[in-house]
Amino acid sequence: MNISGVIFDFDGVVVDSLSLHLDSWDYALKEACGQRLDKSLGKTIMGLSTKEIAAKLAQHFSYPDSSNICALKLHYLNTFDKKVALIDGVGKYIYSLES
């Protein structure tokens, strides 16, 4: 089989960015409505889109503006100076695609 291209979803597939995203949501919630993202709630939002998560969190905390939570999350995501690491084995797999 001749492969001419490969498409990856980076978050959670190539890089481990979960803690960066959860921290961003936590800071956004704290600023928007004075609430914190606990681990059990954090587990329920994994895999959803940013807008879906903002809507779910706004509903959970009875906050009227999910778009504000969404904007704050993106702000913090772009502000944090954290490095994300490749998920184990991904680098080796990507290099194996060259041959």
Side-chain angles (χ1 to χ4, degrees):
M1 175 170 42
N2 187 9
I3 298 173
S4 59
V6 179
I7 298 174
F8 292 100
D9 174 5
F10 262 69
D11 280 342
V13 176
V14 176
V15 295
D16 185 4
S17 56
L18 179 60
S19 65
L20 178 61
H21 285 282
L22 292 177
D23 288 348
S24 298
W25 283 117
D26 185 49
Y27 275 77
L29 285 172
K30 185 177 178 188
E31 183 173 332
C33 53
Q35 300 292 328
R36 302 298 302 257
L37 181 68
D38 62 60
K39 288 184 181 186
S40 62
L41 181 57
K43 289 179 182 179
T44 69
I45 62 174
M46 291 187 286
L48 300 176
S49 73
T50 301
K51 287 183 181 181
E52 291 171 322
I53 293 170
K56 185 172 185 170
L57 294 175
Q59 181 181 17
H60 180 82
F61 291 110
S62 299
Y63 184 76
D65 188 3
S66 66
S67 63
N68 184 47
I69 294 174
C70 188
L72 286 168
K73 187 270 185 177
L74 294 174
H75 163 75
Y76 284 112
L77 183 66
N78 292 320
T79 302
F80 287 145
D81 185 25
K82 289 189 175 182
K83 297 189 185 296
V84 293
L86 286 176
I87 291 178
D88 289 340
V90 170
K92 185 176 180 179
Y93 177 72
I94 290 172
Y95 283 114
S96 76
L97 295 172
E98 290 181 337
S99 53

